[in-house]
Amino acid sequence: MNTQNDQELKTGELLVKEGLIHRDDIATALAIQEKRSVSVALEKSRYIGMILCDLNLLTPLDNYVALHKHNKLVTLSMALVQKGIVSLDQMQAMEARSLREDIPLISLLMKTDTLPMPVMQKILFELFHISLRSISDFIFNVEDRDMLVKLLDKNMSKENGIIPLVINDNTILFGMTAPENMLLIHKLNQAHPQYRFKTIFIPYSGFNWFHDIVYRADTKPVPHTGEVNKPDLSLLLRHKLVIVNPEDEQSAILTFYRHYETIRTLMGHSAKEDRADEFYRFIGQAHKNFKQTRGIGSTEFSFHKNGSDVSIIANPKNQE
């Protein structure tokens, strides 16, 4: 096994250690990576984390936070220098200018025409599995303002270069101006597990424009009590999980498990040891039983509040 494969294996193992994937997922991802390496048509250098995101076994946010924690991140600057797109001297100069002018590096590289937007889009997706979009692609729904500003106040948004753009049911899309913004967004998501947070990159000019729309001058500041708001139990109970193939949907199952444990805690039960593997097997077996006995293709799992306890209900999807 070559050095690159050794490195990717180590990355996979730390993701297992963090409880984000199963050990079998490493072999699956490495097999895909090996297939790409001998293909003429496919790009060779695909990181194992990105392959796992392709397979919906890992979220881009979880991947970034785990790699950051273990000092395994390939940064934008590193990637551009390694690919020979920008020289080391040029990159150091751009990083210094970014700090001096308080402009995120992504936006500065595009503003100075060092990297055109299509090239930047490609690089960012290769590194983080997250798209770079124009802010003009989004229309702000003023009815969402109160909810969004409660999640992230005006000053924190401005200081960190992130902004909530859209809310759809329990999914909130954040725009961010730099990869490191994912650390704060991940922390916010942990504080509000009733929501599913997704992210895109946006240019800094678009961020400033949209920030003025979301946090308009007459918006009253949200009082800060120093406490993190408790997750909304009613929203958590509305979460559903639809499974077609458990092996391809481990990230969704893990999220559903985390919601289950949060619900139990909010209902007064003490936290138990991590039971993610046991939960995954339960979901897989329930789906398998329905598939064998009823011939269905997908199973829907939902929460059911029963007094002071919560149970999980499994139903065949689109049952006649």
Side-chain angles (χ1 to χ4, degrees):
M1 186 177 290
N2 60 36
T3 303
Q4 182 178 354
N5 281 351
D6 286 340
Q7 186 62 40
E8 294 302 310
L9 178 60
K10 290 178 182 178
T11 299
E13 288 173 346
L14 74 84
L15 293 173
V16 171
K17 181 180 178 182
E18 290 294 321
L20 298 173
I21 63 171
H22 291 269
R23 189 164 296 279
D24 290 346
D25 298 333
I26 303 176
T28 301
L30 289 177
I32 294 173
Q33 193 175 59
E34 181 65 23
K35 184 177 180 180
R36 297 181 73 94
S37 70
V38 297
S39 171
V40 176
L42 297 175
E43 185 180 351
K44 305 298 185 291
S45 57
R46 193 84 168 119
Y47 297 111
I48 189 171
M50 300 300 93
I51 295 174
L52 291 165
C53 288
D54 288 341
L55 298 172
N56 292 320
L57 299 175
L58 182 68
T59 69
L61 272 178
D62 283 339
N63 179 68
Y64 184 92
V65 172
L67 295 183
H68 180 272
K69 176 181 177 180
H70 293 274
N71 296 315
K72 295 289 186 179
L73 272 176
V74 177
T75 66
L76 175 61
S77 298
M78 291 166 58
L80 292 177
V81 172
Q82 289 172 3
K83 288 176 178 289
I85 297 174
V86 179
S87 70
L88 180 58
D89 288 344
Q90 285 178 307
M91 183 52 63
Q92 290 175 340
M94 294 300 287
E95 288 176 329
R97 181 175 172 182
S98 172
L99 291 173
R100 186 171 62 252
E101 299 183 12
D102 197 22
I103 300 176
L105 183 62
I106 292 172
S107 294
L108 183 60
L109 288 167
M110 292 191 294
K111 177 183 177 181
T112 57
D113 292 327
T114 305
L115 264 77
M117 188 167 182
V119 176
M120 182 63 80
Q121 288 173 320
K122 184 174 184 294
I123 295 291
L124 290 175
F125 196 80
E126 286 177 357
L127 289 175
F128 308 113
H129 212 273
I130 296 174
S131 301
L132 168 65
R133 301 271 298 277
S134 169
I135 200 67
S136 61
D137 292 343
F138 303 93
I139 298 175
F140 181 63
N141 183 353
V142 294
E143 295 180 357
D144 295 338
R145 176 179 282 116
D146 289 345
M147 175 64 72
L148 296 179
V149 300
K150 285 179 181 178
L151 286 171
L152 185 68
D153 68 41
K154 180 178 180 179
N155 291 335
M156 184 175 287
S157 170
K158 191 69 172 179
E159 290 171 4
N160 292 278
I162 62 175
I163 189 167
L165 300 172
V166 177
I167 180 169
N168 183 15
D169 293 330
N170 69 317
T171 300
I172 299 177
L173 179 67
F174 279 83
M176 58 184 182
T177 55
E180 53 268 26
N181 296 151
M182 280 186 270
L183 298 175
L184 176 57
I185 293 173
H186 187 267
K187 186 176 180 180
L188 286 171
N189 203 173
Q190 289 182 315
H192 301 278
Q194 67 269 39
Y195 297 109
R196 182 185 182 193
F197 284 14
K198 290 188 172 183
T199 55
I200 59 165
F201 289 109
I202 56 175
Y204 191 55
S205 57
F207 164 79
N208 285 326
W209 176 73
F210 212 82
H211 187 276
D212 290 340
I213 294 175
V214 176
Y215 302 97
R216 61 185 184 186
D218 57 345
T219 300
K220 295 180 180 179
V222 179
H224 180 63
T225 63
E227 299 179 355
V228 176
N229 293 331
K230 286 187 176 181
D232 189 322
L233 179 59
S234 63
L235 280 176
L236 284 170
L237 287 168
R238 282 159 46 189
H239 275 266
K240 294 183 179 181
L241 171 71
V242 177
I243 292 297
V244 176
N245 185 346
E247 292 184 359
D248 293 340
E249 296 158 291
Q250 292 178 24
S251 179
I253 294 172
L254 179 60
T255 298
F256 195 68
Y257 164 69
R258 288 171 177 166
H259 291 330
Y260 169 71
E261 292 292 5
T262 301
I263 290 170
R264 290 187 71 259
T265 301
L266 291 173
M267 295 178 71
H269 297 279
S270 59
K272 292 188 176 183
E273 61 183 16
D274 192 310
R275 299 178 291 171
D277 287 341
E278 179 184 344
F279 192 86
Y280 173 77
R281 289 192 295 272
F282 160 73
I283 295 292
Q285 188 60 51
H287 174 68
K288 182 180 179 181
N289 291 343
F290 272 132
K291 193 171 183 179
Q292 290 178 341
T293 59
R294 305 195 187 187
I296 54 92
S298 60
T299 306
E300 180 180 86
F301 296 87
S302 58
F303 298 120
H304 176 68
K305 187 174 181 292
N306 183 16
S308 61
D309 210 345
V310 60
S311 56
I312 296 172
I313 306 298
N315 286 301
K317 184 69 173 171
N318 298 327
Q319 184 179 14
E320 295 296 328

